[in-house]
Amino acid sequence: QKEVEQNSGPLSVPEGAIASLNCTYSDRGSQSFFWYRQYSGKSPELIMFIYSNGDKEDGRFTAQLNKASQYVSLLIRDSQPSDSATYLCAVYFGNEKLTFGTGTRLTIIP
Amino acid sequence: KAGVTQTPRYLIKTRGQQVTLSCSPISGHRSVSWYQQTPGQGLQFLFEYFSETQRNKGNFPGRFSGRQFSNSRSEMNVSTLELGDSALYLCASSLGGEPYFGPGTRLLVL
């Protein structure tokens, strides 16, 4: 059973601080990794994707991938109240089936 | 560019009925996937279509079916509805890389 694991939270971070979200996955052969943000009652919104080891930055967001440790993380710098949402980690396992973690609920405290 | 659209947005059905949900992918996207999201089970993969062919299927009973048309639009059907089918049904389209979600159809089975 291919799995993606996330800490469900809630994770509380003061406004302006760095929020760090973590995800581990079970299949060492996985090649594609995604972070989605989901506001309550809305659909998931793609905010980052990463395919290679290392860091990928986009604005206030940085995705970090370590394939040897089977670990992918998302850093949100200068956290804003609008960042309060559930963050879903998703991994493509070999057969093109996108598997999601259960999500981490993030709350930014003003 | 227009995003993924799903119709209807909300639906109320009774047990035993059947329902058809529709998804129009982003223009040019040929891959369409369907997911079920519930508070207890999270986001679960239903099936994926590419060029009118089902490429992958999740672990759902045969009551859940789908199809894709030549214009890449997709439909999913649930027959003999059960109370447990109440969920947010999400469609995602991709060009072969990152999946983008539509707004979802919220189905309530009474």
Side-chain angles (χ1 to χ4, degrees):
Chain A
Q1 180 86 3
K2 305 288 174 66
E3 293 183 344
V4 177
E5 296 199 4
Q6 296 180 253
N7 187 322
S8 61
L11 175 65
S12 296
V13 172
E15 183 176 355
I18 296 176
S20 177
L21 303 161
N22 304 315
C23 172
T24 59
Y25 57 95
S26 62
D27 183 9
R28 188 175 290 274
S30 300
Q31 299 292 325
S32 307
F33 308 86
F34 308 89
W35 282 100
Y36 289 86
R37 177 176 63 197
Q38 187 173 26
Y39 294 114
S40 180
K42 301 295 186 182
S43 66
E45 172 192 4
L46 179 67
I47 54 172
M48 288 291 286
F49 56 90
I50 185 166
Y51 301 137
S52 305
N53 265 339
D55 295 1
K56 178 183 177 183
E57 188 174 314
D58 184 1
R60 297 187 296 113
F61 299 99
T62 299
Q64 299 175 316
L65 175 60
N66 184 323
K67 289 187 178 181
S69 301
Q70 295 174 229
Y71 177 95
V72 57
S73 65
L74 178 71
L75 302 178
I76 306 175
R77 290 182 299 282
D78 188 24
S79 295
Q80 302 296 310
S82 59
D83 295 326
S84 297
T86 296
Y87 289 80
L88 297 160
C89 172
V91 179
Y92 261 135
F93 293 122
N95 63 355
E96 300 294 328
K97 173 182 164 180
L98 192 60
T99 300
F100 284 82
T102 53
T104 297
R105 197 168 82 225
L106 173 67
T107 300
I108 306 302
I109 304 168
Chain B
K1 189 188 268 191
V4 179
T5 59
Q6 290 187 247
T7 57
R9 294 291 309 280
Y10 304 92
L11 209 47
I12 299 176
K13 292 285 189 179
T14 56
R15 276 181 300 173
Q17 288 187 307
Q18 76 165 21
V19 67
T20 299
L21 311 181
S22 181
C23 171
S24 292
I26 293 171
S27 178
H29 286 195
R30 295 166 65 190
S31 171
V32 174
S33 301
W34 289 89
Y35 298 82
Q36 180 196 66
Q37 188 174 33
T38 59
Q41 298 296 317
L43 259 163
Q44 293 191 294
F45 173 79
L46 280 156
F47 26 67
E48 187 231 353
Y49 288 87
F50 181 85
S51 292
E52 302 180 67
T53 300
Q54 186 181 88
R55 285 204 297 197
N56 287 290
K57 189 177 191 309
N59 298 322
F60 279 81
R63 301 185 296 107
F64 292 82
S65 63
R67 59 178 175 168
Q68 186 180 34
F69 302 95
S70 58
N71 61 357
S72 295
R73 190 178 70 84
S74 178
E75 288 182 346
M76 69 162 280
N77 184 277
V78 188
S79 63
T80 318
L81 284 165
E82 300 177 359
L83 295 179
D85 296 333
S86 294
L88 179 64
Y89 289 88
L90 293 158
C91 162
S93 76
S94 75
L95 201 51
E98 308 79 57
Y100 294 89
F101 281 90
T105 294
R106 192 167 294 280
L107 172 65
L108 177 61
V109 182
L110 301 175

